Amino acid sequence: MIDMSFNLIAFFMLIMNFSTDQHRAIQLPESELVKPPDGPPVFDIVLTLNQNASVNMSQFDDSVSNIELLAPFLKREISNAAAQDIPIDKIDVVIRAHKETQTGLVQDLIAKCQEVQLQKFKLRAKERIE
Amino acid sequence: MRIRGTNKSGNDIKLDMTSMIDIVFQLLAYFVMTFKVTSMEGDFSVNMPMATNSAQQIMEALDKTIVVRLTRTADGNVGPIDVDFGSDHKSFTDEFRFQRLRDYVKSLVLQSNDPATASSYEVEFDIDRDLAYDFTIRAVEAVSGEPLGGGRIVTLIEKIRFKDNRPR
């Protein structure tokens, strides 16, 4: 019984969810079509857009209160990618927006990324299980 | 030679396991209670280069561009979905409007037997800035594909972009 208990503890520890509070605060839209990606991305910038237009960059827990202030962070990420010999057209911008966010804010976020020449976007959604 | 679990006089040594079992059960209870089933996340790809193409490229693209307009009603819901493709105009107003949009796109894509032609279609979304993002994703989902059950999906349109409708 002790062995079984230890096994169970090991199981729960392994599958423990280490997502940040920011991730939990976002309610993603749901879709039947989205599937988890097959492999790791070449280089991605994950932007979490809240309802109040503040943006979190997940990798470094950076946060800006307004989309307009995002450019320096994006440029830093592009420089990081360049340091790894990854061209800008291989960078994926993953947008995790709250489902009640105004679509206009998502468009503003895309436009801000386009200003620094980013062009590949991924709109993240949660898998809907029927 | 000493045998494990015995002392020099050969008597059994009893280990008190009670505290360890207590801790183990407490840990187990903690993990069971904090366990949360989360659904997987996935992405819809959107290619949106900033640079404008030549006039000829724009005209060629327009031939295969399906324009989808989504509006927001006063109560925050999605209004009719208007679709323009060449001279063809459709408006989907009933409660199954997203399914109607999917059916329309499917009829266009599947009527061309040539896969190259089918993959050349593009959707441009013209969406009210105030509309909830959830509806936008539902529209993107409707034009992207159709689930067939058992994890199988029919892919419809992969080229998706948004019309720039930021206030000037």
Side-chain angles (χ1 to χ4, degrees):
Chain A
M1 192 182 73
I2 298 277
D3 284 350
M4 199 60 208
S5 304
F6 276 123
N7 280 332
L8 281 170
I9 288 174
F11 168 75
F12 282 116
M13 284 179 81
L14 286 174
I15 61 164
M16 204 172 164
N17 193 354
F18 289 103
S19 61
T20 62
D21 287 342
Q22 261 318 319
H23 277 192
R24 273 184 235 130
I26 291 289
Q27 279 190 321
L28 292 176
E30 294 185 0
S31 167
E32 284 177 77
L33 293 186
V34 291
K35 297 285 170 222
D38 294 330
V42 178
F43 193 96
D44 65 352
I45 301 172
V46 182
L47 302 175
T48 303
L49 178 63
N50 300 293
Q51 278 174 289
N52 61 0
S54 66
V55 183
N56 284 81
M57 292 186 67
S58 304
Q59 284 101 325
F60 302 103
D61 280 339
D62 284 329
S63 175
V64 289
S65 58
N66 191 309
I67 292 168
E68 291 303 314
L69 306 172
L70 197 61
F73 295 95
L74 295 174
K75 285 177 183 164
R76 187 189 64 191
E77 286 304 296
I78 293 167
S79 305
N80 288 343
Q84 299 171 39
D85 288 332
I86 297 167
I88 197 163
D89 59 344
K90 297 280 181 204
I91 299 175
D92 289 324
V93 180
V94 179
I95 297 177
R96 304 178 79 255
H98 192 285
K99 66 181 185 180
E100 296 300 329
T101 308
Q102 293 178 355
T103 298
L105 288 176
V106 178
Q107 288 176 295
D108 292 347
L109 185 60
I110 290 175
K112 185 49 73 181
C113 295
Q114 286 176 315
E115 284 177 18
V116 291
Q117 308 302 319
L118 291 165
Q119 50 187 283
K120 278 177 76 185
F121 299 92
K122 288 180 182 292
L123 306 177
R124 185 147 288 181
K126 197 160 54 167
E127 189 178 10
R128 186 192 304 133
I129 300 160
E130 297 291 317
Chain B
M1 191 177 77
R2 282 183 62 192
I3 300 166
R4 276 185 77 187
T6 60
N7 60 11
K8 283 178 184 168
S9 57
N11 297 328
D12 286 344
I13 298 171
K14 288 197 173 176
L15 288 173
D16 188 2
M17 303 281 282
T18 318
S19 358
M20 194 186 77
I21 292 173
D22 284 350
I23 294 287
V24 165
F25 276 116
Q26 280 183 29
L27 277 171
L28 193 58
Y30 167 77
F31 283 119
V32 169
M33 282 190 279
T34 56
F35 179 65
K36 202 168 132 187
V37 181
T38 51
S39 359
M40 302 296 281
E41 294 179 5
D43 302 315
F44 289 106
S45 295
V46 182
N47 259 321
M48 292 186 65
M50 182 76 163
T52 50
N53 298 322
S54 69
Q56 189 190 350
Q57 282 174 312
I58 291 169
M59 289 309 291
E60 284 170 6
L62 282 176
D63 283 347
K64 292 284 181 187
T65 301
I66 304 163
V67 179
V68 179
R69 286 188 193 83
L70 270 75
T71 48
R72 179 186 184 272
T73 59
D75 61 355
N77 273 318
V78 63
I81 298 178
D82 292 308
V83 182
D84 282 300
F85 179 62
S87 56
D88 196 16
H89 175 80
K90 301 275 181 203
S91 188
F92 307 119
T93 54
D94 63 8
E95 59 178 314
F96 303 109
R97 63 197 76 172
F98 288 102
Q99 185 57 44
R100 303 256 181 272
L101 171 63
R102 174 177 283 149
D103 292 342
Y104 178 73
V105 169
K106 196 171 150 189
S107 68
L108 283 177
V109 173
L110 298 185
Q111 78 182 7
S112 44
N113 293 323
D114 178 17
T117 311
S119 65
S120 64
Y121 283 104
E122 184 175 22
V123 171
E124 182 186 75
F125 283 107
D126 180 2
I127 301 175
D128 263 3
R129 288 181 58 82
D130 294 340
L131 186 70
Y133 181 59
D134 196 26
F135 294 118
T136 301
I137 288 293
R138 284 178 69 184
V140 171
E141 180 189 48
V143 302
S144 297
E146 184 177 37
L148 295 177
R152 289 176 305 139
I153 291 168
V154 174
T155 304
L156 297 175
I157 293 179
E158 291 173 327
K159 292 181 188 169
I160 292 168
R161 60 189 161 94
F162 292 102
K163 185 179 178 186
D164 185 1
N165 55 6
R166 285 174 292 164
R168 302 289 174 194

